[in-house]
Amino acid sequence: DQQVKQNSPSLSVQEGRISILNCDYTNSMFDYFLWYKKYPAEGPTFLISISSIKDKNEDGRFTVFLNKSAKHLSLHIVPSQPGDSAVYFCAASWEYGNKLVFGAGTILRVKS
Amino acid sequence: DAGVIQSPRHEVTEMGQEVTLRCKPISGHNSLFWYRQTMMRGLELLIYFNNNVPIDDSGMPEDRFSAKMPNASFSTLKIQPSEPRDSAVYFCASSLARGEKLFFGSGTQLSVL
């Protein structure tokens, strides 16, 4: 029973365009959401997060949107760069400190 | 600063053998996590420790899996006996405290033949 779902296994985007990665969750107790990026042969690295009291958080080219009523969050990358090509994991937790639950990941390919 | 250090980077073993994966968390971090990555299930949490005490091991798939954290700077994940379906990348991660962002090691690629 996957509580965090990333339904798109892969996404291909042209350099300079917007990349939108989506994530859905089922557990209404989740109150903290994160995105991690993973390059081949490396561990995931933290990218950006958002708490449930917000609906948007922005950090440079990266913006995360949270729609609590739809139990949906998305990561926008604008503009996309070839170096953004990686696997992106959505993750969620609750009660500030409970275990982090990850989605299966989405492979992003940015073509130059 | 050194990040989370895992060893070995690659492990190839035969079915039935014991496998031990090692992790050194970032100094000063109080929480340690073991994750397994597979194509089908993505990143699954196996177990996590807080201040060297196991808090939640509900993700450990079977009794063949065990994890220890004898001190704040070292943890092991052991599989005995190993089976081909255990083949995956195993990640260790640490955080400053519960709820803080995780820092991952580079992982151990395990292949059980």
Side-chain angles (χ1 to χ4, degrees), chain A residues 19-86:
Chain A
S19 295
I20 300 176
L21 296 99
N22 293 304
C23 178
D24 297 295
Y25 60 96
T26 57
N27 190 336
S28 58
M29 298 293 290
F30 286 143
D31 57 12
Y32 188 51
F33 305 89
L34 307 90
W35 285 92
Y36 279 76
K37 180 168 74 172
K38 183 185 179 304
Y39 292 119
E42 295 182 10
T45 56
F46 170 78
L47 188 58
I48 192 169
S49 65
I50 188 169
S51 76
S52 60
I53 62 173
K54 293 186 173 182
D55 54 19
K56 176 183 174 182
N57 188 28
E58 192 172 351
D59 183 1
R61 297 185 297 114
F62 303 90
T63 302
V64 56
F65 295 92
L66 175 62
N67 183 334
K68 289 187 292 292
S69 60
K71 294 191 179 67
H72 177 83
L73 66 156
S74 61
L75 174 68
H76 293 208
I77 306 173
V78 182
S80 302
Q81 299 173 354
D84 296 330
S85 298

Side-chain angles (χ1 to χ4, degrees), chain B residues 8 13 19 26 84:
Chain B
T13 190
V19 174
I26 294 173

Side-chain angles (χ1 to χ4, degrees), chain B residues 58-112:
Chain B
S58 60
M60 297 285 261
E62 300 172 32
D63 291 345
R64 297 185 296 107
F65 286 70
S66 62
K68 294 182 179 179
M69 191 165 186
N71 57 62
S73 59
F74 184 66
S75 176
T76 59
L77 177 68
K78 185 178 294 186
I79 309 172
Q80 164 65 16
S82 58
E83 297 182 2
R85 60 195 167 116
D86 301 331
S87 298
V89 181
Y90 290 80
F91 287 103
C92 175
S94 69
S95 66
L96 196 58
R98 291 180 69 177
E100 297 294 326
K101 67 183 183 185
L102 302 184
F103 292 82
F104 283 81
S106 298
T108 296
Q109 173 78 58
L110 173 65
S111 298
V112 183

Side-chain angles (χ1 to χ4, degrees), chain B residues 4-77:
Chain B
V4 176
I5 299 172
Q6 290 187 248
S7 63
R9 287 297 305 272
H10 303 274
E11 177 78 35
V12 180
T13 190
E14 292 188 347
M15 182 174 63
Q17 296 297 306
E18 176 180 299
V19 174
T20 299
L21 312 181
R22 297 172 176 79
C23 174
K24 177 178 168 54
I26 294 173
S27 177
H29 281 195
N30 294 326
S31 296
L32 183 139
F33 305 76
W34 283 99
Y35 281 87
R36 177 171 69 176
Q37 183 190 9
T38 61
M39 289 293 292
M40 293 296 294
R41 302 175 70 88
L43 275 169
E44 299 176 272
L45 178 65
L46 301 177
I47 185 171
Y48 79 93
F49 296 83
N50 197 48
N51 292 321
N52 311 340
V53 176
I55 302 300
D56 185 345
D57 65 354
S58 60
M60 297 285 261
E62 300 172 32
D63 291 345
R64 297 185 296 107
F65 286 70
S66 62
K68 294 182 179 179
M69 191 165 186
N71 57 62
S73 59
F74 184 66
S75 176
T76 59
L77 177 68

